[in-house]
Amino acid sequence: MTGDLLGRRKSALAPSYRLFYDDPIEIVRGAGVFLYDADGREYLDCYNNVASVGHSHPRVVEALTKQASTLNTHTRYLHHSVIDLAERLAVKLGGDLSSAIFVCTGSEANDLAVRIARTVTGHNGVVVNDHAYHGNSTLVDQLSLANHPPGERVPDWIGVAEPPNTYRGTHAGDDAGTAYAEDVRRAGQQLSDSGEGVAAFLVDSTWDANGFLNAPVDYLSLATRHVHDLGGLVIADEVQAGYCRTGETWWGFEDYGIVPDIVTLGKPMGAGHPIAAVITTPEIAASFAKADSYFNTFGGNPVSCEVALAVLDVIEDEQLLDNVDRTGAILRQGLDQLSRTHDMIGTIHGKGLFWGVELVTNPETKEPVPESQVNAIVSDLCDRGILTGINGPHCNIIKIRPPLVFGEAHAVRALDALDGSLGSFARQGGTRADQ
Amino acid sequence: MTGDLLGRRKSALAPSYRLFYDDPIEIVRGAGVFLYDADGREYLDCYNNVASVGHSHPRVVEALTKQASTLNTHTRYLHHSVIDLAERLAVKLGGDLSSAIFVCTGSEANDLAVRIARTVTGHNGVVVNDHAYHGNSTLVDQLSLANHPPGERVPDWIGVAEPPNTYRGTHAGDDAGTAYAEDVRRAGQQLSDSGEGVAAFLVDSTWDANGFLNAPVDYLSLATRHVHDLGGLVIADEVQAGYCRTGETWWGFEDYGIVPDIVTLGKPMGAGHPIAAVITTPEIAASFAKADSYFNTFGGNPVSCEVALAVLDVIEDEQLLDNVDRTGAILRQGLDQLSRTHDMIGTIHGKGLFWGVELVTNPETKEPVPESQVNAIVSDLCDRGILTGINGPHCNIIKIRPPLVFGEAHAVRALDALDGSLGSFARQGGTRADQ
């Protein structure tokens, strides 16, 4: 059956499609933190942030069904759902971030946010961190250096700032925040000098595509000051960082004590349903609306909005932010423990329910474990019923980013499997247990 | 209640949002071709193509509910739904159009299609018809001249060809197809001469934003030959034209006897659920995958695909293509009749279940009826319980584009209301009946 599907898939889908794991799995059912394959085998999902409140959450399904049975249309008729959702998010975001535009994907949100920043500032240039990922539209694909081979020419309107990586980057120690922020200033100044100007600094405060970075705490506030001095806006790409992912706070930017000018939301917002948003201040929203128009056919439809409202309800009613903190502490402790017993672990990046386990061949030289071997480990974890992913510019970071309902028992099971898998690979010199 | 909602909406949503009609309506429920407002008032929906198989179709809701209760995840695990859908669409499209990439919106589809064309041809330029609409990403917004004020500078990489408007354009009569196609060649040649080259001719074969055009039958085949001669691809934007909208055939490009290189699908595909697609030949898909990567988090998820499969089932089982032809013939006859009794009707554009009623102050000069007056007529139709829209570069075309389940009785009711409204405005010299 799976073999048959593989063949049909190869014929029907473009070869751009990729499958996870050496032996791809056919997933047919999901519930909470578990996924099940066609043979009924259970997998602990340590990867999928999109199913934010857990797979197939009954309250989300109920909201979806109820609204889809009643009405699904666009925002050019009045409807309370889109207003309710915008109001709820404005309260969650706080400050002046209270003017919303709903779209369908994080890519659409970032594309629109950059367009708003360009329109409002009159500048064209955008600063991003190297190896960031911000989406797949033509515009944000260009801004996502993670999508492009190293050395590929970057368009003149993009300024590239070094990611704030205190493990592997140029700077570490007390002044690292100042030094990395200075690189944002340098990249912005270069755009100003070349005449592009700085429309925005677009930043994901998990630095997901770098494998999660724990940036120096003062990095974003210093960088924000530089960007504002250059006449640009700060766009917080909360597609990864938002919705309690990093614990303690609802939004990643709060961890760094900044108030962005524009916020973009995506993946976890609809627990799998395609909804995303751009939220900014009334002043910026008004300035954009004066100069340009925007309409998104599906964006803000009542079904998507009722789903997004149900996700907010579940996070609040099930106190998932507290759960992230509780389970996050267990993962932190467990991963720290593993890093002491496995030489292969160079460092642990992460916070809350987003962790990156960086694998190196030698802790001194920090030489990355080759991708083929990381892939074998991640495939071995899959064989052990644990779903993770691969991340980072060197493809040497195991990505652990489960649904927000991931609890203590799940964390212990994941840590045990990781311990077993890393131990087995160390003993066998990098071959998969079953090979 | 509606007043309260208006105030809340103004605070919570960006001012980019617009509402239809002089007195906006609060729609709370939909069923088939009917929408209902908060006071229980029924409206005949003559506007919404997105609710392709009718509002809240039980089979679509059932497919949505069933799959959302079971699994919603991305395409990096094997799942049959995305393959089933790709195979079904390949059969419907025919020829070599058999390699699919699923996305969430028509904008994402057109953005990706242009990117594919650029990658595969090595050219940068794109030819579009003037005043076309192709979506809202930064890239396709630039290509959508309908979004921009006349006279705004068009980027160097865009070639603008005159729309094939035989009522108001430069050419009419037997040679019009040749002449309009020659303008596509001229625009493409200019891109070639300037060094941009021709990556694609992106064309919506309803010319929706022009108010629907019935182009000369040989236009697209001649234009396709020119574009291919210049080394470019033809992208059929079927977001409006596809899914039986124009009758007789499933796809708009079939009306013009061409086989495009890339097809994009959107709006009607999920009957309101955000799903869209790019479908091309295996050769083009392979050539793109070799040079570039693409992944869409929500695109092709099992819930969206099961919804899209249900929409295909309903169209087939309820024989909606036949219904489009049947009701389309009634609308054609009725609108022709109205155009003989109302001097204000300059011409009728359209086919199947997509019609544009072009209003002029004088049939000889073709001076467009001012937008304020067209808006008053469309608002009057709304008061009469008939939902339509406004279209065209002069905002003087009443747009009639109902769900595919629109039947004979609905057509008669819509025609009667239009007759009444136009008659009332002619008598009152352009003021709304209730003012």
Side-chain angles (χ1 to χ4, degrees), chain B residues 128-153:
Chain B
V128 286
N129 285 121
D130 201 3
H131 211 268
Y133 177 79
H134 296 292
N136 59 34
S137 76
T138 295
L139 182 90
V140 295
D141 172 74
Q142 290 181 292
L143 288 164
S144 299
L145 273 65
N147 297 356
H148 299 272
E152 187 180 289
R153 197 178 156 279

Side-chain angles (χ1 to χ4, degrees), chain B residues 219-239:
Chain B
Y219 172 59
L220 283 184
S221 55
L222 295 170
T224 296
R225 202 179 306 160
H226 294 319
V227 171
H228 284 167
D229 286 348
L230 290 161
L233 305 182
V234 172
I235 303 170
D237 175 351
E238 293 280 331
V239 172

Side-chain angles (χ1 to χ4, degrees), chain A residues 2 5-6 8-9 11-21 25-30 35 47-48 50 55-56 61 64-65 68-72 74-80 82-84 86-87 98-102 104-105 107-108 111 115 133 136-139 141 147 267 272-275 285-286 288-289 293-298 387, chain B residues 2 5-6 8-9 11-21 25-30 35 47-48 50 55-56 61 64-65 68-72 74-80 82-84 86-87 98-102 104-105 107-108 111 115 133 136-139 141 147 267 272-275 285-286 288-289 293-298 387:
Chain A
T2 296
L5 267 190
L6 273 170
R8 286 174 55 204
R9 181 175 156 121
S11 295
L13 302 187
S16 302
Y17 280 90
R18 299 270 175 274
L19 289 165
F20 279 155
Y21 311 126
I25 50 177
E26 183 189 350
I27 297 293
V28 299
R29 189 165 71 83
L35 289 169
Y47 182 77
N48 289 298
V50 171
H55 292 280
S56 317
V61 175
L64 179 77
T65 303
S69 317
T70 309
L71 177 71
N72 190 12
H74 53 80
T75 52
R76 281 172 167 166
Y77 310 121
L78 269 173
H79 197 273
H80 67 89
V82 67
I83 303 167
D84 293 345
E87 289 175 346
S98 60
S99 196
I101 298 181
F102 293 99
C104 297
T105 67
S107 297
E108 287 195 337
D111 191 297
R115 184 163 143 205
Y133 177 80
N136 58 33
S137 76
T138 294
L139 182 90
D141 172 74
N147 296 357
K267 296 190 197 297
H273 185 89
I275 177 165
F288 175 67
S293 62
Y294 186 84
F295 175 69
N296 190 302
T297 298
F298 300 131
L387 303 182
Chain B
T2 296
L5 267 191
L6 273 169
R8 287 175 54 205
R9 181 175 156 121
S11 295
L13 301 187
S16 302
Y17 280 90
R18 299 270 175 273
L19 288 164
F20 279 155
Y21 311 125
I25 50 177
E26 183 189 351
I27 297 295
V28 299
R29 189 164 72 83
L35 289 169
Y47 182 76
N48 290 297
V50 170
H55 293 279
S56 318
V61 175
L64 179 76
T65 303
S69 318
T70 309
L71 178 72
N72 189 11
H74 54 80
T75 53
R76 281 171 167 166
Y77 311 122
L78 270 173
H79 197 273
H80 67 88
V82 67
I83 303 167
D84 293 345
E87 288 175 348
S98 59
S99 196
I101 298 182
F102 294 99
C104 298
T105 66
S107 297
E108 287 195 336
D111 192 296
R115 185 162 142 206
Y133 177 79
N136 59 34
S137 76
T138 295
L139 182 90
D141 172 74
N147 297 356
K267 297 190 197 297
H273 185 90
I275 178 166
F288 175 65
S293 62
Y294 187 84
F295 174 69
N296 190 301
T297 298
F298 300 131
L387 304 181

Side-chain angles (χ1 to χ4, degrees), chain A residues 92-167:
Chain A
K92 286 274 169 229
L93 285 161
D96 276 343
L97 293 165
S98 60
S99 196
I101 298 181
F102 293 99
V103 295
C104 297
T105 67
S107 297
E108 287 195 337
N110 282 331
D111 191 297
L112 175 58
V114 169
R115 184 163 143 205
I116 291 172
R118 284 175 161 177
T119 305
V120 168
T121 63
H123 300 159
N124 193 49
V126 180
V127 177
V128 285
N129 285 123
D130 201 2
H131 212 269
Y133 177 80
H134 295 292
N136 58 33
S137 76
T138 294
L139 182 90
V140 295
D141 172 74
Q142 291 181 290
L143 288 165
S144 299
L145 273 64
N147 296 357
H148 299 273
E152 188 180 290
R153 197 179 158 279
V154 174
D156 293 339
W157 56 273
I158 298 178
V160 183
E162 186 179 349
N165 187 339
T166 53
Y167 174 68

Side-chain angles (χ1 to χ4, degrees), chain B residues 261-284:
Chain B
D261 303 294
I262 306 177
V263 168
T264 57
L265 312 178
K267 297 190 197 297
M269 192 176 175
H273 185 90
I275 178 166
V278 177
I279 304 181
T280 186
T281 68
E283 288 67 31
I284 291 172

Side-chain angles (χ1 to χ4, degrees), chain A residues 385-408:
Chain A
I386 304 291
L387 303 182
T388 61
I390 298 177
N391 215 349
H394 308 288
C395 301
N396 70 322
I397 299 175
I398 298 176
K399 183 171 177 173
I400 298 171
R401 190 195 47 183
L404 301 175
V405 289
F406 201 76
E408 179 174 351

